[in-house]
Amino acid sequence: MTESSRPIRTRYAPSPTGDPHIGNIRSALFSWAYARANGGQFLLRIEDTDRNRLVETSVGAIMESLRWLGIDWDEGPDIGGPHAPYFQSQRLPLYRKAAETLMDRGRAYRCFCTAERLDQLRAAQAAAKRPPGYDGLCRALSRDESEARARREPYVIRFAMDREGQTVLHDIIRGDVVFENSLQDDFVMLKSDGYPTYHLALIVDDTEMEITHCIRGDEWISSAPKHIQLYEALGWEPPGWAHLPLILGPDHKKLSKRSGDTAVLDYRDKGYLPEAMVNFLALLGWSLDDHTSILGAGELKRHFDLARVVPNPAVFDIERLNHLNGHYIRAMDDGRWEATITEWCARQLPESVKRPIDPDIVKSVAPLLKERVSRLDEIAGMVEFLFGYEAPEYELDALTERVGGDAEVALKAVDGALVALDAIPQERWDRDAIEAAIRGMEATLGMKLRKFVPVLYVAEMGRPQGIPLFDSLELLGRERTLQRLRTARARLG
Ligand code: GLU
């Protein structure tokens, strides 16, 4: 089959060394989108050959992260497929066979150098200010000697790199990248424990699994000459290469844990919506056109193209993510929004609040909340005041904090509100009457609404700001509203 008639096949090939992070999952999203946009297939392969770094729970977290984002796979460890198994640790004979083929062709050799020798070598290279790398000592061993030593000594298998000329990476995103072969060294392909390194396992599996495009993070670009030479030495056709741009933190340094590169599932647990995350990740290096900022998985599946991925770094801007999250919250239909509020209240409200969460309260507060929330973990704190008779607990200082610590002013505000609101009879207790009464306080107190309103927020809600006050007091009802003001006054007095 020619290149163009092969169906597009891409993969996400994480190492199960922890929960997948933002930077890493972007590779999954782009690989998936490229396959989907081209009517191709996307598969999940677990690269678990580094036995020292395995984290038991990772495979579950990897699949959960993908599912949360709506990234589906056609073949993988859980569902199998024509190229099973999809755990590299279960494919060891394939790697050994490739290593042996390379040995037979004189492109690989056993290396018996001890860890001490390699340490000394590294130290000597550092002292002489030369780049680190294996010096090729065991490359000179004869086949017989190598066989004989292999019976008594542990060894690794190294690839014999071509050390002359250049290796050229034809990168779909960056164009041609040229590497000097003299700077390469004979890297380890098969470790003494029989497990392959990434370099060998990658090309064996990408070939065997008929991957047409290797879409991966930019951190792998320096390894590309190894991979290209391996393909050449084995006589296999390499895939198309696409190295995705680096993601930088807001400080324009490489994204770190502190600047946002934390586990994808942490974002879910903080109350980000998957739509917001997909939208956000999609624009870290790719764009649909020069103006679209809101787009979803549907657009990605239809229009994603590697030609519109830029090589220069993308900047991770949490404000943009918050903004997108707010957008998708406001786009939710009532049913989903109410279910979301119920879920987060059940999760985060104190135990003293009765379960199941009162659906009438949820329904009444839902429209008010929608405009005010940009993360779902803000919900419970904002609505807690509606679930009890008294306001949620607050420090006395909170009542005076926004009025310059002046208890007199706070007391005036509370008393003023008591008088104004007490004058509204029960049957006229609604938003408009409440608004008129509270606005009227400006004249009687000689104080701006903006100044005294935080005192009322604290008295009613236990916090200096929240969902709109007038609507909230209507929901709270006349009796509870007045009672909370009396409590505040007692505390201030
Ligand atoms: N196991 C590698 C990683 O987790 C895969 C890189 C690739 O996509 O080839 O980064």
Side-chain angles (χ1 to χ4, degrees):
M1 255 199 254
T2 63
E3 173 77 45
S4 57
S5 63
R6 274 162 70 184
I8 300 281
R9 281 172 62 86
T10 64
R11 84 295 188 282
Y12 176 45
S15 304
T17 52
D19 292 8
H21 281 206
I22 291 289
N24 194 265
I25 210 83
R26 193 229 6 209
S27 303
L29 183 69
F30 283 19
S31 299
W32 169 83
Y34 189 64
R36 294 289 174 255
N38 289 286
Q41 289 127 25
F42 172 71
L43 60 96
L44 175 61
R45 177 174 79 221
I46 304 295
E47 303 209 324
D48 57 346
T49 58
D50 189 345
R51 308 308 285 173
N52 298 322
R53 294 180 57 224
L54 289 192
V55 176
E56 193 80 33
T57 53
S58 295
V59 176
I62 287 165
M63 296 204 255
E64 205 176 324
S65 304
L66 294 173
R67 286 195 189 107
W68 180 59
L69 294 171
I71 299 174
D72 57 337
W73 53 98
D74 304 299
E75 298 167 30
D78 55 333
I79 49 174
H83 301 282
Y86 293 89
F87 283 101
Q88 287 190 326
S89 60
Q90 296 169 12
R91 303 171 60 82
L92 300 186
L94 288 169
Y95 313 128
R96 176 155 294 274
K97 187 162 157 245
E100 275 161 9
T101 303
L102 288 167
M103 288 219 286
D104 291 342
R105 293 184 185 169
R107 289 304 305 271
Y109 58 91
R110 293 190 192 89
C111 171
F112 300 92
C113 291
T114 59
E116 294 78 63
R117 174 168 192 275
L118 296 176
D119 284 345
Q120 282 162 11
L121 179 63
R122 247 189 307 274
Q125 285 165 335
K129 298 207 168 8
R130 276 186 287 125
Y134 184 60
D135 60 359
L137 181 73
C138 292
R139 197 165 174 168
L141 294 177
S142 70
R143 187 87 200 215
D144 287 347
E145 198 178 346
S146 170
E147 300 284 346
R149 283 180 70 177
R151 272 178 243 119
R152 351 177 265 271
E153 290 174 51
Y155 62 87
V156 299
I157 298 180
R158 289 183 186 273
F159 181 66
M161 283 292 274
D162 191 348
R163 303 293 291 276
E164 270 155 33
Q166 297 171 323
T167 302
V168 181
L169 162 69
H170 303 294
D171 190 276
I172 298 168
I173 297 169
R174 279 149 218 277
D176 285 359
V177 184
V178 178
F179 298 87
E180 292 299 330
N181 290 343
S182 58
L183 299 177
Q184 304 294 325
D185 77 331
D186 293 349
F187 60 91
V188 175
M189 298 190 302
L190 211 62
K191 296 176 280 185
S192 53
D193 62 4
Y195 281 86
T197 58
Y198 167 63
H199 309 301
L200 178 64
L202 158 84
I203 67 135
V204 169
D205 286 347
D206 277 359
T207 302
E208 208 267 337
M209 295 178 180
E210 302 176 78
I211 298 302
T212 56
H213 294 77
C214 174
I215 301 171
R216 62 183 177 183
D218 156 284
E219 69 271 24
W220 294 112
I221 213 162
S222 59
S223 303
K226 297 181 173 60
H227 305 154
I228 293 168
Q229 286 205 21
L230 272 170
Y231 275 107
E232 277 166 10
L234 284 161
W236 295 346
E237 190 188 339
W241 302 101
H243 290 89
L244 302 176
L246 213 62
I247 304 176
L248 300 180
D251 52 2
H252 287 247
K253 297 205 181 94
K254 193 174 179 326
L255 195 64
S256 65
K257 236 186 165 130
R258 242 200 303 126
S259 54
D261 193 20
T262 50
V264 180
L265 295 176
D266 287 349
Y267 283 86
R268 178 193 64 183
D269 297 343
K270 279 190 207 144
Y272 289 99
L273 295 172
E275 300 95 306
M277 207 69 213
V278 165
N279 194 149
F280 178 71
L281 291 170
L283 297 176
L284 288 177
W286 174 80
S287 58
L288 178 63
D289 49 37
D290 57 9
H291 59 271
T292 304
S293 59
I294 299 287
L295 51 88
E299 274 87 11
L300 270 177
K301 276 164 87 160
R302 276 192 299 280
H303 302 300
F304 183 85
D305 187 357
L306 288 170
R308 286 199 64 90
V309 178
V310 290
N312 40 314
V315 176
F316 181 97
D317 176 2
I318 191 79
E319 287 311 320
R320 176 143 87 166
L321 177 59
N322 291 338
H323 174 81
L324 286 168
N325 210 47
H327 168 86
Y328 285 103
I329 286 175
R330 283 184 283 287
M332 279 192 195
D333 63 38
D334 294 348
R336 182 174 168 206
W337 180 227
E338 284 163 23
T340 303
I341 297 172
T342 306
E343 178 198 330
W344 282 80
C345 282
R347 200 186 302 180
Q348 292 192 319
L349 282 179
E351 277 173 31
S352 55
V353 173
K354 195 165 71 50
R355 309 298 200 270
I357 299 300
D358 185 335
D360 293 334
I361 298 182
V362 170
K363 221 179 176 52
S364 60
V365 79
L368 301 178
L369 208 48
K370 218 176 195 179
E371 297 303 317
R372 295 286 167 123
V373 169
S374 68
R375 262 168 46 179
L376 304 178
D377 64 353
E378 295 160 1
I379 291 174
M382 284 193 176
V383 301
E384 186 184 345
F385 74 99
L386 284 170
F387 287 88
Y389 186 72
E390 293 288 346
E393 275 178 39
Y394 57 86
E395 299 289 329
L396 184 55
D397 288 354
L399 280 169
T400 57
E401 196 182 293
R402 299 285 176 99
V403 287
D406 192 334
E408 300 252 323
V409 178
L411 197 56
K412 263 173 78 178
V414 169
D415 277 338
L418 261 172
V419 173
L421 293 172
D422 198 23
I424 306 174
Q426 172 63 36
E427 62 280 7
R428 282 193 40 235
W429 185 263
D430 64 17
R431 188 203 172 284
D432 291 346
I434 294 165
E435 174 166 9
I438 293 181
R439 285 200 187 283
M441 287 167 61
E442 285 200 322
T444 46
L445 297 185
M447 218 192 287
K448 286 273 173 231
L449 183 79
R450 198 167 14 88
K451 173 133 198 225
F452 64 78
V453 98
V455 180
L456 306 185
Y457 265 100
V458 174
E460 301 295 348
M461 304 185 189
R463 40 162 58 209
Q465 63 204 25
I467 56 176
L469 183 70
F470 311 138
D471 302 86
S472 298
L473 299 188
E474 177 180 337
L475 294 181
L476 206 51
R478 186 175 189 277
E479 189 193 327
R480 279 195 295 176
T481 299
L482 296 176
Q483 177 54 33
R484 289 178 188 196
L485 289 169
R486 282 184 215 111
T487 305
R489 177 214 255 159
R491 295 189 65 184
L492 284 165

